[in-house]
Amino acid sequence: FNNKKPSNMEEELRFINSHKGVTVKDVAADEFIKTFAAFLKKSGKFKIPEWSSYVKTGCHKVLAPFDPDWLYVRAAAVARYLYIRRRAGMKLLRNHFGGRKRGDLHREHHVLTGGKCIRYCLQQLAKMELIGIVQVRGDDDKVISTQGRQITNKGIRDMDRIARQIKRG
């Protein structure tokens, strides 16, 4: 019998092989979103516009977000949602991030969130090459229609790497 103590590398390989790799789905959503938002902020490629301190996230909200880094968190949540669903358009994302609105005398109804915030997050994630546009092409290689956004291989790789770091502790 081998009584040697396993090294950290052996333990890590055993962990990865026993779990067949760690993905975003293996990590709690709040932990992943917080860590991925910090990654976006640290990268310096995701720019925060000046309007972000004034804008509400939707018509169902009363005030703008208190957190000055809320746009990083929203972009991380959008990226995670695209990772889980593999493909989504603006309508689906607006519906997902929407909420309940209640007037003075009316019953509560679900309303869509504002589209500018999500559109801006998608544009910045596309500049970082983490997501791409899904296009349907015809026989003559012309674009017939676009079917939303999806996560790219680079995006999957980066997000799985961050999930691995979270899982390691």
Side-chain angles (χ1 to χ4, degrees):
F1 291 93
N2 189 358
N3 292 331
K4 288 192 311 184
K5 188 174 181 179
S7 67
N8 282 342
M9 185 65 163
E10 289 173 348
E11 289 175 6
E12 189 174 317
L13 285 173
R14 191 175 309 122
F15 177 78
I16 289 172
N17 290 335
S18 67
H19 287 82
K20 296 181 178 48
V22 178
T23 65
V24 174
K25 295 178 183 181
D26 300 329
V27 181
D30 58 338
E31 286 182 58
F32 177 78
I33 290 171
K34 185 175 69 173
T35 309
F36 194 65
F39 165 77
L40 291 175
K41 185 175 182 178
K42 195 173 93 171
S43 73
K45 295 178 182 175
F46 194 95
K47 305 286 187 240
I48 296 290
E50 59 188 35
W51 53 260
S52 68
S53 59
Y54 308 111
V55 72
K56 298 190 310 179
T57 56
C59 64
H60 60 286
K61 297 290 186 181
V62 177
L63 297 171
F66 292 118
D67 184 12
D69 297 332
W70 70 271
L71 203 56
Y72 294 115
V73 176
R74 177 59 57 97
V78 167
R80 182 184 179 276
Y81 188 76
L82 284 172
Y83 183 96
I84 300 294
R85 295 262 324 187
R86 294 295 185 203
R87 181 182 295 174
M90 275 296 296
K91 176 93 178 214
L92 193 62
L93 289 167
R94 288 184 67 197
N95 189 28
H96 177 73
F97 289 105
R100 284 197 224 163
K101 181 179 181 178
R102 182 173 184 264
D104 292 336
L105 300 170
H106 307 289
R107 284 185 256 143
E108 294 180 349
H109 293 286
H110 181 81
V111 293
L112 302 178
T113 191
K116 179 153 177 93
C117 303
I118 293 176
R119 197 174 308 110
Y120 185 79
C121 290
L122 291 172
Q123 289 167 355
Q124 293 298 311
L125 290 170
K127 281 184 185 176
M128 295 175 70
E129 298 176 358
L130 298 178
I131 64 169
I133 298 174
V134 180
Q135 296 178 337
V136 177
R137 296 186 179 268
D139 296 333
D140 55 352
D141 206 33
K142 281 189 174 179
V143 177
I144 297 173
S145 67
T146 59
Q147 294 184 343
R149 307 294 203 305
Q150 73 179 9
I151 199 97
T152 61
N153 289 336
K154 180 181 184 261
I156 292 171
R157 192 170 50 246
D158 287 349
M159 292 171 79
D160 284 344
R161 180 177 46 81
I162 290 171
R164 254 191 314 278
Q165 290 172 356
I166 294 170
K167 198 73 169 178
R168 276 192 216 137

